[in-house]
């Protein structure tokens, strides 16, 4: 059952504190709701001609940035597995090629070539990306999304990221909207500085 599978994974991690700590550090960089995000993105898109709200568009773009962050975590998680299980490192480097089994060491403790837990084996197989699926997904995202655009936890930062996440030229109307947004924001800052100088107030509230 699912519960027993998870218990087996926890039991194995408790036996290998170095792997446990490495995975905790690596996964902490990933969005906590990545599975929910993938499920939302996999849902059928709205029918052609259907009006989509601004909130829905922002949420979808935010989900895309979360996927980008999660995909970038994959090599870090794969490296954490490879430190303890050399077979994971072999598959990561050689793809489909089968390597000779070896015994790896980490911190003086010997381990099997692959995790005993079915759940950990599945995770290691996904994150080592032997078929290049995650790499191809990352490349497709990078074709349209700016390199430095990542999911932000703060609400205001997340909104700004959504505005500037897509690359210039991806959509003409989006480029025009961003230009107007930048000009309006600049005018607001200039007006605020002028009012501070005229009134002597350091803090302005609208």
């Amino acid at each position: 059952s699912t519960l027993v599978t998870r218990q087996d994974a926890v039991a194995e991690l408790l036996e290998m504190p170095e792997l446990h700590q490495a995975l905790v550090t690596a996964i902490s960089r990933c969005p906590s709701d990545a599975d929910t995000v993938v499920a939302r993105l996999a849902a059928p898109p709205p029918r052609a001609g259907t009006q989509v709200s601004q909130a829905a568009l922002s949420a979808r773009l935010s989900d895309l940035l979360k996927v980008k962050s999660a995909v970038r975590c994959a090599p870090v998680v794969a490296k954490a597995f490879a430190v303890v299980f050399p077979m994971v490192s072999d598959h990561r480097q050689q793809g489909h090629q089968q390597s000779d089994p070896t015994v790896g060491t980490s911190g003086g403790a010997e381990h099997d070539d692959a995790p005993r837990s079915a759940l950990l084996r599945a995770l290691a197989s996904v994150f080592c990306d032997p078929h290049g699926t995650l790499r191809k997904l990352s490349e497709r995202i990078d074709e349209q999304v700016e390199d430095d655009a990542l999911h932000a936890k703060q609400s205001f930062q997340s909104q700004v990221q959504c505005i500037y996440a897509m690359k210039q030229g991806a959509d003409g109307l989006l480029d025009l909207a961003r230009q107007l947004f930048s000009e309006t924001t600049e005018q607001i800052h200039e007006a605020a500085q002028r009012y501070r100088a005229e009134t002597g107030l350091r803090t302005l509230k609208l």
Side-chain angles (χ1 to χ4, degrees), residues 188 191-197 199-206:
I188 293 174
Q193 292 177 358
R194 185 170 64 253
Y195 289 145
R196 289 192 190 98
T199 62
L201 298 175
R202 298 180 58 185
T203 303
L204 296 177
K205 294 184 179 180
L206 300 179

Side-chain angles (χ1 to χ4, degrees), residues 13-118:
L13 287 175
L14 290 176
E15 297 174 3
M16 295 178 294
E18 67 277 19
L19 175 60
H20 176 262
Q21 185 57 47
L23 289 178
V24 168
T25 301
I27 295 175
S28 65
R29 307 178 186 180
C30 300
S32 58
D33 57 343
D35 53 343
T36 305
V37 168
V38 171
R40 285 200 296 262
L41 290 175
R47 294 182 179 179
T50 303
Q51 186 174 4
V52 182
S53 67
Q54 180 180 352
L57 289 174
S58 297
R60 200 163 185 85
L61 183 53
S62 178
D63 286 345
L64 179 61
L65 294 179
K66 289 181 180 180
V67 171
K68 178 180 180 180
S69 298
V71 170
R72 288 194 171 186
C73 290
V76 183
V77 178
K79 184 177 180 180
F81 275 109
V83 168
V84 179
F85 300 110
M87 184 65 73
V88 173
S89 178
D90 292 339
H91 285 307
R92 184 184 176 197
Q93 296 174 5
Q94 302 178 12
H96 298 290
Q97 295 180 1
Q98 188 74 19
S99 61
D100 294 333
T102 57
V103 177
T105 60
S106 180
E110 293 187 354
H111 304 289
D112 297 329
D113 289 331
R116 299 191 308 274
S117 163

